[in-house]
Amino acid sequence: MIVLKFGGTSVQNAEMMDATLTIAAGQIQRAPVVVSSAMSKVTDQLQEIAQLVGEGKESEAERIRAAIQERHMTCAKSFLTGENLARCLADLTAVLSEMQSIMKALAMLKEWSKRSNDTVLSFGERLSTVILAHRAHERGIDADLIDSRDVIKTDDSFTAAVPLEDLTQKLVTARVRPRPGTMAILQGFIASTTGGATTTLGRGGSDYSATIIGAALRAEEVQIWTDVTGIMTSDPRIVKNARTIEKMSYREAAELAYFGAKVIHPSTIQPAVNLGIPVWVKNTFKPAEEGTRIVPSIPGIGLKAIACKKGITLVSVSSSRMLLAYGFLRRIFEIFEKYQTAVDLIATSEVSVSVTIDNAAAVESIARDLSEIGTVGVENDKGIVCLVGQDLWKDTAFLARVFSSLKGTPVRMISLGASDINLSLVVPTDKMEESVRNLHQEFFP
Ligand code: ADP
Ligand code: ASP
Ligand code: MG
């Protein structure tokens, strides 16, 4: 069996939903399990709703809800008829009125917690998959709509929930029964706790849903269908002549995703690793193009792609007492741990340590605690430029080429060698995209 995940633009309207179903139906003998995102932009709108109701701005939130309702109803009416249309509208209405009740309750309580946020955000995928399933029936496809919240179980870290592997595996295999000639349809992104509270896997998490389900079902392969042809040498929105990478390793793909390549969610690869399931990234708009195949490992050295991520904060601590002393690093990292802040890059000298974080919510408290160890500096508005490829350091000309392309850019921090597939550079945010373009020009002219 295979898993096919379709992103927001792949189900953005009736025409694209049909394109999606055509792609999945074309592989119906491989027992496809379809995992779908919300229609494009809907999750952003739901995010706005969650915030507005939390602030008690019910009527503003209601306007957005009505727009979401209108878009889904219009889409359904445009390609469904008779019984299929009637059933679809009834199902959409049920989901939409549940949403309305929840919004009312949250507005009354003025509640905007991570928990309520996840419940509100879940409606996008719940709505899109209802239409997809009814359209599949209309087209004569034998399709079964399954609620992902019944099969993917997570802990209660709302907004970034962690799957409970064993339980999920059991539930997925019991409930999703892929068979050649039939199609299962599930929502990406959403899951639930063992107590039944709705959770999400984090923004962009539908890719992760696909590999979680793929691993549970021992899929032959997982296909991520999106709006670009595979993983490219850089984000095509930043670099116009970025090109598709034919093949890359799990580690390269995971590293790229972590450092900003939005094309796949950073956790996507992890469930595929143990079973060695190949992951394809393909273009719903150009289905004939091959896309990228991500495999356990591939031979060869050299740069594959350049990613970038903004919103980075650099925190540094320096103290002459660090010289020849031990225990400093432990004390420093304990402080980040205390405030549950993940550290991305690290650079150290005898008397100083610099780290980057992408969640600066607790940076003031962190700086206050760190100031007991040494002098603390906090620099905002940084971006990370990340070059990914196997054994980059083995190419002796590599670094020289990197730095000559970055002439004129104040590179604030460098990290190479921690992993043998990544060179990361910290630059000012306003220089980040230009740096990516310059590097791309040098390595992929
Ligand atoms: P979906 O809704 O299908 O999940 P996303 O918007 O999450 O789609 O991801 C696809 C987008 O990722 C592309 O439109 C592209 O702008 C962006 N992207 C960033 N880096 C890369 C890259 N290296 N290769 C391809 N796309 C990238
Ligand atoms: N719809 C969710 C989001 O926009 C999940 C996804 O599309 O992957 O974040
Ligand atoms: Mg995505």
Side-chain angles (χ1 to χ4, degrees):
M1 57 82 49
I2 55 173
V3 177
L4 299 90
K5 177 261 169 176
F6 293 89
T9 45
S10 304
V11 292
Q12 65 188 353
N13 53 30
E15 185 194 345
M16 288 314 295
M17 284 202 188
D18 263 336
T20 281
L21 288 171
T22 301
I23 289 167
Q27 305 182 70
I28 198 104
Q29 290 313 324
R30 300 178 80 189
V33 173
V34 169
V35 174
S36 174
S37 288
M39 292 172 90
S40 60
K41 306 273 167 26
V42 168
T43 312
D44 291 339
Q45 289 178 303
L46 293 167
Q47 183 64 72
E48 237 180 295
I49 290 179
Q51 184 173 348
L52 288 168
V53 292
E55 292 165 354
K57 296 179 183 159
E58 213 178 340
S59 56
E60 278 176 64
E62 174 52 29
R63 265 199 296 278
I64 304 175
R65 194 203 65 87
I68 293 175
Q69 168 162 338
E70 173 66 23
R71 181 166 168 204
H72 287 83
M73 295 288 188
T74 306
C75 174
K77 286 175 193 159
S78 76
F79 62 3
L80 295 173
T81 56
E83 274 292 293
N84 282 318
L85 176 60
R87 282 199 208 105
C88 183
L89 294 182
D91 288 352
L92 288 176
T93 304
V95 177
L96 287 157
S97 56
E98 182 187 331
M99 180 171 152
Q100 211 159 15
S101 316
I102 285 171
M103 283 168 62
K104 276 216 177 72
L106 294 174
M108 230 181 274
L109 296 168
K110 293 210 171 20
E111 180 178 318
W112 182 28
S113 61
K114 287 187 169 183
R115 187 186 176 109
S116 64
N117 203 76
D118 275 358
T119 295
V120 174
L121 261 58
S122 72
F123 285 99
E125 273 70 8
R126 293 179 59 195
L127 291 167
S128 64
T129 47
V130 163
I131 306 182
L132 213 49
H134 286 286
R135 178 60 182 165
H137 295 153
E138 176 102 14
R139 288 177 52 169
I141 300 166
D142 184 357
D144 182 17
L145 177 62
I146 297 166
D147 193 326
S148 291
R149 295 171 302 170
D150 294 338
V151 294
I152 301 185
K153 292 291 169 183
T154 66
D155 69 3
D156 62 359
S157 331
F158 295 99
T159 74
V162 179
L164 307 172
E165 267 176 50
D166 294 343
L167 182 56
T168 298
Q169 149 102 47
K170 228 181 268 159
L171 293 168
V172 170
T173 45
R175 176 70 184 86
V176 189
R177 301 194 154 276
R179 273 167 300 133
T182 69
M183 183 187 296
I185 300 177
L186 292 97
Q187 305 79 22
F189 183 52
I190 68 173
S192 75
T193 64
T194 50
T198 298
T199 54
T200 70
L201 303 174
R203 293 303 307 270
S206 295
D207 305 322
Y208 190 21
S209 307
T211 51
I212 291 169
I213 294 168
L217 295 172
R218 309 277 189 264
E220 266 166 64
E221 68 184 38
V222 173
Q223 303 171 4
I224 311 272
W225 290 85
T226 183
D227 57 4
V228 287
T229 302
I231 301 186
M232 308 180 86
T233 46
S234 202
D235 185 343
R237 286 180 211 193
I238 299 176
V239 180
K240 291 285 165 266
N241 62 337
R243 42 186 186 259
T244 299
I245 301 163
E246 221 174 282
K247 209 173 182 189
M248 65 196 312
S249 69
Y250 283 162
R251 289 185 60 212
E252 289 171 324
E255 200 87 353
L256 265 183
Y258 187 73
F259 285 103
K262 188 188 168 216
V263 60
I264 54 169
H265 182 274
S267 303
T268 311
I269 298 304
Q270 178 231 316
V273 169
N274 286 342
L275 300 163
I277 300 171
V279 178
W280 282 91
V281 181
K282 293 170 81 81
N283 191 345
T284 315
F285 295 78
K286 296 177 181 171
E289 294 187 354
E290 276 280 284
T292 302
R293 183 175 161 87
I294 309 169
V295 294
S297 67
I298 47 171
I301 66 169
L303 186 66
K304 281 274 169 41
I306 306 165
C308 61
K309 174 155 122 176
K310 52 186 170 200
I312 301 295
T313 301
L314 189 114
V315 181
S316 39
V317 202
S318 54
S319 164
S320 52
R321 283 180 293 141
M322 247 185 255
L323 193 63
L324 302 177
Y326 51 83
F328 268 107
L329 286 178
R330 180 180 49 75
R331 287 177 60 197
I332 289 170
F333 289 116
E334 273 170 1
I335 292 169
F336 285 93
E337 188 182 344
K338 176 174 162 194
Y339 294 103
Q340 298 181 352
T341 299
V343 163
D344 283 339
L345 304 177
I346 307 164
T348 63
S349 76
E350 284 100 326
V351 293
S352 66
V353 177
S354 296
V355 307
T356 65
I357 55 178
D358 67 4
N359 172 8
V363 74
E364 278 174 31
S365 311
I366 291 171
R368 193 186 51 234
D369 286 16
L370 286 174
S371 64
E372 286 168 22
I373 298 176
T375 310
V376 179
V378 174
E379 297 167 51
N380 299 311
D381 285 331
K382 296 283 182 257
I384 293 179
V385 174
C386 176
L387 296 96
V388 171
Q390 286 179 147
D391 294 330
L392 293 173
W393 55 274
K394 285 186 181 162
D395 171 1
T396 51
F398 176 68
L399 281 181
R401 290 175 70 191
V402 168
F403 289 111
S404 70
S405 355
L406 291 177
K407 233 177 343 207
T409 305
V411 177
R412 182 64 185 81
M413 186 173 145
I414 301 164
S415 164
L416 170 71
S419 105
D420 52 2
I421 59 162
N422 156 352
L423 166 66
S424 297
L425 308 154
V426 178
V427 299
T429 305
D430 58 1
K431 290 275 185 187
M432 186 183 80
E433 294 194 356
E434 180 192 320
S435 303
V436 171
R437 281 189 285 269
N438 290 340
L439 287 162
H440 196 274
Q441 184 56 34
E442 168 67 26
F443 289 97
F444 307 104

